[in-house]
Amino acid sequence: MRILDRSVYVGPSHYARFPVIRLELDLGELEAWPTSRLGAKFVDALAEALPGLAEHGCSYREPGGFLRRMREDEGTWLGHVLEHVAIELQNIAGEEVTFGKTRGAGAPGRYTVVYEYAQRDEGVAAGELALRLLCSLLPPELRPADVVSEGWNWPEARDDFIRFAQRRALGPSTSSLVKAAEGRGIPWLRLNDQSLVQLGHGKYQQRIQATVTGRTPHISVELASDKEETNKILASLGLPVPSQELVQSEEQAVRAARRIGFPVVTKPYNGNHGRGISIRLTTEQEVAHGFAVAREHSRSVIVETFLEGDDHRLLVVNGELVAATRRTPGHVVGDGEHTIVQLIEIVNQDPRRGVGHEKVLTRLELDAQALKMLERVSLTPESVPAKGVVVYLRSTANLSTGGTATDVTDIIHPDNKDMAERAIRAVGLDVGGVDFLSKNITESYRKIGGGICEVNAAPGFRMHIAPSDGTPRDVAAPVIDMLFPPGAPSRVPIAAVTGTNGKTTTARMLAHITKMAGYTPGLTTTDGVYINGQRTVQGDMTGPVSARMVLADPQIDIAVLETARGGLLRAGMGVREVNVGAVLNIQADHLGLKGIDTLEQLAEVKRVVVEVATDCAVLNADDPLVMRMSGHTEAKNICYVTLNPQHSLVREHIRAGARACALEAGVNGQMITLYDRGSHIPLLWTHLIPATLEGRATHNVQNAMFAAAMAFSLGVKLDAIRQGLRTFDSTFFQAPGRLNVFNEHQFKVLFDYGHNAHAVGVMADLAQRLDVNGRRIVVLAGPGDRRDEDLVAIAQAVAGRFDHYICRRDDNLRNRASDEVPRIQAAALVEAGVPKDAISVIPDEQEAIDAALKMGQAGDLLLIFADALARSWKQITKFKTVGSQAAPQGIAAQSVAPQTLLGVAGRETTGGGSGGGGGGAAGTAHSETAHSAAEKWNGGGGSIEQTAFNLEGLIRDERGVRFAPEAED
């Protein structure tokens, strides 16, 4: 049993609307060993290792259902078992996760295992530990030695996992704040591996680190950390504090204790969590030892008066006391029968106790500090305390060291409440904890005494939200209400756009519209992240990382997210929901990659964008696959976009008072028109939108319609939408590689990034609609990781529409031969009836573009499909016309024989023609189309064996090893 592949989805995906992990699992020979064959011994051992599995319902939807399924005659397979074990492991680490599903992945023994996770590293580790646990329980002859080492110990591995998970999970205080924010509908982002969290998006964000907020004054935190200065300030206000002195040596500590008077307390100058504190020191020797203990945590040590009384934590938020808790140090109570070691074991059996912050209480530990406490009362671990005798194992009452907490909020005396609020205000904290010693919290400190030990700038919340005894207090909600008063915004509007073609232009249009409307947009696109129109990060940024990057920026007040297939397949979306989600189209591109082989599967992946839309789903009514997505969204509105004003379904949609954007013909041209709630809203003539080339670029007309519909759904005013569309052009600097036009040569150049048949066909259509006085020349290519049939389809999209064709390849060969792609496309052009002398194969992109530019004459139109956009655009703009050249005469002009047009780069051939030689790898792929084209090319002469493609040779590995990893596309 092996994990072959893993994907961690950080947000909504085609598997679930929340974070999940996907494992590709190979059971190997264990495919023949379902749980029914492994037997009751295996099932019982697993149930004993993880008792919580008894609560899993599985398909029976009731506790015990999963174990019942394992014991049935048919049983279940180990992929399904691993799913449940990975979930339960996270449960015992304190996470509330429940979702999982396992499905066969085609080949025998292969399974796709999907399970929910709360924290990435913990979720990944849960899957790995689940695999080890299951393998350890297998019969020896089935147990893989390289998965489970000899001597592997399950209890140790379990506890190590829990500690590992807790080190990476949000602490109880931070977690309570996050849950309170979620309860208010406030989004959040974790900013590091510790407790730094952003609440809210963009300019509305607030930050917390544990219980320190972005509004907590730095000077107040410094003051609270300076116990000596805090003591002085509180004393100056007449608040009860013990006498204390700051010392740097053992001798100074002893002298200070004499002056203050025994008993005393020693503690670190700037410690926390009760570390290094020694109390009730009655001799100089004890003071010396206490100084040494404190010195391990701080260079300076405080010696102060020991105050009698119970330890209380008084929590103040925004100037008001919200909770009070009495804390008791970790201890055992004698029964006259058991030793202290046994009593600790009995206490730790309490299901409320766990490792670290796993549960409400922490397990007691018999460590060095506990042994020291026993020594002070002349006891050992083997001592048997009398019945009712309390034996303390800690000197401080922190829950993290096994202490207990009792809520006393309802009984605290008003004077003590006022005292705590005054102390926190004196230090200047928005959230603060007062450690107060009192013999009776129900009586005033003015009457019975007591004192403030210290003030905490980052007080823990666990003792308040989950006390050992008493009423739990929701102390996180007041913090969230302080940061986000009722009615205050926390979210920025988010629009996400996906589709095969047009999403970059549409996203840029929408961002431009919002900027013209006065917003500060954050935009993610295929060439970078833009904040208010300025590119801050370069690269393909259309996945979840870039989405989080935008939402974390404190400037933005609206987000436009181009969301690509690659990011969705690899890691899901970067946000749980969007206000407006749009799907432009579903066309053949990237098929055959990452398990997506059909348009229907591609539609399912891209559908996620509208599934998470809350306000409006904007859908292309002219694309059947997109239109069907309307049944998968819970958005309040559906807005259909259509170029067909006679669309029957859209007509009924409009008549029902719903939203739509349609293209309507008028005397002055074509009008983009909005419909909403019975209103007919003429928006803008298409010829007034520069990016549409006076309405001729139909694909950009459609992009503009989507941008307008999304902007309208986001609440942007109509005049701002019109202004945005009228001022958005398709220059390289505003939309690089998206229908850029260069008119400063004697010929016109159209420059585009189109890399699939649909996009290329749209541009070819536009080239036909433009007035051209000369020839039409195209520079054609296709990504090397596309299927051969996709490359052929790209060539067919332009065939017969141009006077000359230059076939090239991208710089990144993606495991293709150096001229394999252009030769496949050239063969397809020949098959489609393009004369051989109208085709040039020039593999290098720069050389191909240079050849096209040199061919250009007055009145010509050059359509150049480019991959290296910046380099290619610079090549076009810097080109100097020195006189036109004739078109290269087919392949022969490039010193490659015609026969090799359909062969591999450098493959040796023997047919007619010249210049064919050269060694190199033999064999490239072909389709039936390419094979018949080879016959036409040879004119019936020569051998097809010499000139046709070699399908088996090109594919080389049907599992796809030739395909290179891709960026977020």
Side-chain angles (χ1 to χ4, degrees):
M1 187 161 56
R2 299 285 186 277
I3 295 174
L4 303 178
D5 188 35
R6 176 192 297 114
S7 295
V8 180
Y9 294 91
V10 301
S13 66
H14 55 299
Y15 292 113
R17 300 286 79 81
F18 41 80
V20 296
I21 290 173
R22 176 195 62 83
L23 303 178
E24 290 300 319
L25 188 69
D26 183 4
L27 294 185
E29 63 177 328
L30 293 173
E31 171 69 4
W33 288 82
T35 55
S36 55
R37 186 179 179 189
L38 289 171
K41 182 178 180 181
F42 173 85
V43 177
D44 292 343
L46 181 59
E48 181 181 356
L50 289 172
L53 289 174
E55 299 300 317
H56 289 219
C58 195
S59 56
Y60 291 102
R61 302 183 183 277
E62 62 182 17
F66 174 61
L67 293 181
R68 176 181 168 189
R69 172 83 179 273
M70 291 179 68
R71 290 189 169 101
E72 288 178 341
D73 291 341
E74 181 181 350
T76 189
W77 275 257
L78 289 184
H80 182 209
V81 178
L82 187 144
E83 165 208 321
H84 280 269
V85 172
I87 291 171
E88 180 58 25
L89 284 171
Q90 294 179 81
N91 291 159
I92 68 173
E95 306 292 3
E96 297 179 3
V97 295
T98 59
F99 173 82
K101 64 180 179 181
T102 300
R103 300 288 185 272
R110 296 285 182 89
Y111 291 86
T112 297
V113 179
V114 177
Y115 59 90
E116 184 182 0
Y117 73 92
Q119 196 279 117
R120 183 189 188 282
D121 293 340
E122 176 188 353
V124 170
E128 294 174 348
L129 181 57
L131 179 67
R132 292 192 186 94
L133 174 60
L134 294 179
C135 289
S136 72
L137 300 178
L138 293 171
E141 64 273 15
L142 297 175
R143 190 179 304 156
D146 58 336
V147 176
V148 182
S149 59
E150 187 175 349
W152 185 77
N153 183 281
W154 159 243
E156 289 181 5
R158 176 198 60 207
D159 289 352
D160 287 345
F161 169 76
I162 292 173
R163 294 187 181 93
F164 171 86
Q166 290 180 355
R167 285 195 299 270
R168 287 155 179 80
L170 294 174
S173 300
T174 310
S175 180
S176 69
L177 288 167
V178 166
K179 289 180 180 178
E182 289 178 335
R184 282 270 310 271
I186 297 170
W188 62 279
L189 299 172
R190 189 172 183 177
L191 301 180
N192 66 5
D193 291 334
Q194 286 75 47
S195 297
L196 182 62
V197 172
Q198 174 185 314
L199 304 176
H201 287 158
K203 75 175 188 179
Y204 303 120
Q205 65 180 267
Q206 298 287 341
R207 291 180 180 176
I208 59 171
Q209 186 157 13
T211 58
V212 176
T213 78
R215 295 183 179 182
T216 305
H218 176 71
I219 191 172
S220 299
V221 175
E222 289 293 311
L223 183 58
S225 300
D226 188 331
K227 302 184 189 305
E228 182 185 32
E229 288 301 322
T230 299
N231 182 276
K232 290 178 181 178
I233 286 178
L234 298 182
S236 70
L237 296 176
L239 293 169
V241 292
S243 299
Q244 66 175 212
E245 291 187 24
L246 185 68
V247 300
Q248 280 79 35
S249 69
E250 181 180 312
E251 293 76 12
Q252 290 177 352
V254 171
R255 287 198 297 270
R258 292 183 192 137
R259 284 192 294 271
I260 293 172
F262 294 99
V264 297
V265 173
T266 56
K267 59 186 180 182
Y269 169 69
N270 54 1
N272 54 32
H273 296 292
R275 298 185 184 97
I277 297 179
S278 301
I279 66 171
R280 205 190 295 267
L281 306 179
T282 58
T283 68
E284 294 183 359
Q285 291 76 18
E286 289 181 348
V287 171
H289 180 267
F291 173 85
V293 172
R295 191 64 182 271
E296 294 176 1
H297 302 275
S298 175
R299 294 183 61 185
S300 298
V301 174
I302 289 177
V303 180
E304 68 180 22
T305 304
F306 173 73
L307 299 176
E308 293 284 351
D310 294 328
D311 184 0
H312 297 84
R313 168 61 61 79
L314 312 180
L315 181 65
V316 178
V317 176
N318 202 23
E320 294 186 7
L321 185 135
V322 297
T325 300
R326 181 176 68 248
R327 302 183 295 180
T328 305
H331 65 279
V332 295
V333 180
D335 59 5
E337 298 180 7
H338 295 90
T339 66
I340 291 175
V341 171
Q342 293 170 333
L343 290 171
I344 290 174
E345 292 176 353
I346 293 171
V347 170
N348 284 340
Q349 290 175 6
D350 185 341
R352 296 177 299 169
R353 291 190 181 268
V355 178
H357 295 296
E358 171 197 358
K359 297 184 178 180
V360 173
L361 298 174
T362 300
R363 293 178 187 173
L364 296 177
E365 299 287 344
L366 190 61
D367 54 13
Q369 187 174 353
L371 293 174
K372 183 65 177 178
M373 293 292 294
L374 294 178
E375 182 183 342
R376 293 182 63 181
V377 292
S378 301
L379 293 175
T380 69
E382 301 304 321
S383 299
V384 179
K387 185 175 183 179
V389 172
V390 177
V391 180
Y392 289 99
L393 303 174
R394 285 292 186 275
S395 59
T396 58
N398 297 79
L399 268 65
S400 58
T401 57
T404 57
T406 303
D407 179 75
V408 294
T409 306
D410 294 332
I411 62 174
I412 185 173
H413 192 279
D415 286 349
N416 298 338
K417 175 178 178 292
D418 178 69
M419 173 270 302
E421 293 171 349
R422 289 183 60 208
I424 295 301
R425 282 196 294 268
V427 177
L429 295 169
D430 56 347
V431 179
V434 175
D435 288 345
F436 180 64
L437 292 175
S438 173
K439 296 178 181 178
N440 188 347
I441 197 68
T442 65
E443 296 190 52
S444 171
Y445 73 92
R446 301 176 188 274
K447 179 180 178 181
I448 66 171
I452 298 173
C453 299
E454 60 184 75
V455 171
N456 293 274
F461 284 0
R462 180 164 67 142
M463 68 187 75
H464 305 298
I465 59 179
S468 315
D469 297 293
T471 304
R473 304 290 171 174
D474 183 6
V475 296
V479 177
I480 300 302
D481 290 342
M482 175 186 69
L483 297 175
F484 297 94
S490 62
R491 295 177 177 270
V492 301
I494 303 174
V497 56
T498 192
T500 305
N501 297 310
K503 54 187 178 291
T504 298
T505 300
T506 302
R508 285 179 173 274
M509 280 183 173
L510 179 57
H512 180 73
I513 290 170
T514 61
K515 192 173 190 302
M516 292 296 100
Y519 289 92
T520 301
L523 168 68
T524 67
T525 71
T526 52
D527 72 323
V529 172
Y530 291 78
I531 303 299
N532 202 27
Q534 299 297 314
R535 186 164 65 180
T536 58
V537 179
Q538 185 174 357
D540 191 338
M541 304 298 289
T542 53
V545 172
S546 55
R548 291 169 58 91
M549 193 180 298
V550 161
L551 295 173
D553 193 286
Q555 283 183 270
I556 68 116
D557 53 15
I558 195 167
V560 180
L561 310 177
E562 179 184 345
T563 306
R565 174 207 62 91
L568 289 171
L569 279 173
R570 184 175 52 258
M573 292 189 68
V575 291
R576 294 290 183 92
E577 61 183 40
V578 300
N579 298 88
V580 178
V583 182
L584 308 185
N585 46 63
I586 301 295
Q587 299 294 333
D589 195 13
H590 301 282
L591 297 181
L593 300 176
K594 297 185 178 180
I596 303 302
D597 300 312
T598 67
L599 289 176
E600 288 74 18
Q601 290 175 322
L602 184 60
E604 183 181 354
V605 172
K606 292 182 178 288
R607 191 178 69 203
V608 174
V609 169
V610 295
E611 288 178 344
V612 301
T614 58
D615 296 340
C616 188
V618 184
L619 302 173
N620 185 351
D622 299 330
D623 187 321
L625 288 174
V626 177
M627 199 169 182
R628 292 173 196 156
M629 296 180 187
S630 61
H632 296 271
T633 182
E634 297 179 3
K636 299 173 185 175
N637 298 285
I638 294 177
C639 179
Y640 288 120
V641 176
T642 180
L643 298 174
N644 175 16
Q646 305 303 317
H647 198 297
S648 58
L649 186 146
V650 176
R651 182 188 301 117
E652 294 302 317
H653 187 70
I654 292 170
R655 288 176 178 175
R659 190 174 300 168
C661 182
L663 190 64
E664 298 182 344
V667 175
N668 196 32
Q670 292 183 311
M671 172 69 72
I672 295 177
T673 306
L674 293 169
Y675 291 87
D676 188 49
R677 299 180 183 179
S679 297
H680 174 255
I681 309 169
L683 188 68
L684 193 64
W685 298 109
T686 60
H687 64 265
L688 297 179
I689 304 173
T692 69
L693 301 186
E694 298 183 340
R696 291 186 178 92
T698 307
H699 65 292
N700 265 358
V701 170
Q702 187 179 63
N703 293 337
M705 294 170 69
F706 269 95
M710 295 177 74
F712 181 78
S713 300
L714 288 169
V716 178
K717 294 181 179 180
L718 293 173
D719 285 344
I721 298 174
R722 295 184 179 106
Q723 176 69 6
L725 291 177
R726 289 182 66 134
T727 56
F728 182 90
D729 58 39
S730 58
T731 63
F732 181 83
F733 302 101
Q734 190 151 38
R738 272 71 187 178
L739 185 53
N740 307 137
V741 182
F742 193 78
N743 280 318
E744 298 187 21
H745 296 316
Q746 59 182 341
F747 46 83
K748 182 191 292 288
V749 178
L750 297 183
F751 181 78
D752 199 82
Y753 181 60
H755 53 277
N756 58 63
H758 179 260
V760 169
V762 164
M763 291 299 298
D765 290 341
L766 173 61
Q768 305 309 303
R769 288 194 293 272
L770 295 177
D771 296 329
V772 177
N773 296 324
R775 300 168 299 166
R776 290 181 174 87
I777 301 168
V778 63
V779 177
L780 187 65
D785 61 353
R786 301 307 193 266
R787 302 172 303 177
D788 291 348
E789 54 263 45
D790 297 327
L791 298 175
V792 169
I794 290 173
Q796 291 172 341
V798 298
R801 300 183 176 191
F802 294 85
D803 298 292
H804 196 81
Y805 304 79
I806 299 178
C807 299
R808 64 163 189 85
R809 43 85 173 160
D810 293 345
D811 292 348
N812 186 346
L813 300 179
R814 305 196 184 212
N815 289 333
R816 293 269 190 179
S818 63
D819 61 352
E820 185 177 332
V821 168
R823 292 184 182 282
I824 289 175
Q825 294 189 319
L829 290 171
V830 171
E831 170 66 16
V834 176
K836 291 181 290 184
D837 59 2
I839 304 171
S840 301
V841 171
I842 306 178
D844 182 77
E845 181 175 48
Q846 295 182 78
E847 294 177 5
I849 293 175
D850 187 62
L853 293 171
K854 289 178 178 178
M855 287 174 58
Q857 299 176 358
D860 286 353
L861 172 67
L862 274 60
L863 174 56
I864 296 177
F865 291 103
D867 179 55
L869 298 181
R871 182 187 70 193
S872 300
W873 182 253
K874 184 177 181 180
Q875 186 178 355
I876 292 168
T877 59
K878 300 297 183 183
F879 176 75
K880 302 297 183 183
T881 304
V882 293
S884 62
Q885 296 184 2
Q889 294 301 307
I891 287 302
Q894 301 303 316
S895 299
V896 185
Q899 287 89 341
T900 64
L901 172 63
L902 302 180
V904 173
R907 178 176 178 178
E908 196 170 24
T909 59
T910 58
S914 60
T924 56
H926 77 290
S927 62
E928 291 301 322
T929 301
H931 192 282
S932 60
E935 297 181 271
K936 292 186 179 181
W937 191 277
N938 288 335
S943 169
I944 294 299
E945 298 300 326
Q946 298 165 341
T947 58
F949 291 105
N950 182 328
L951 176 61
E952 184 177 1
L954 173 65
I955 292 179
R956 291 194 297 277
D957 189 335
E958 63 183 7
R959 292 170 296 180
V961 297
R962 77 176 181 192
F963 297 133
E966 60 190 11
E968 294 189 65
D969 49 294

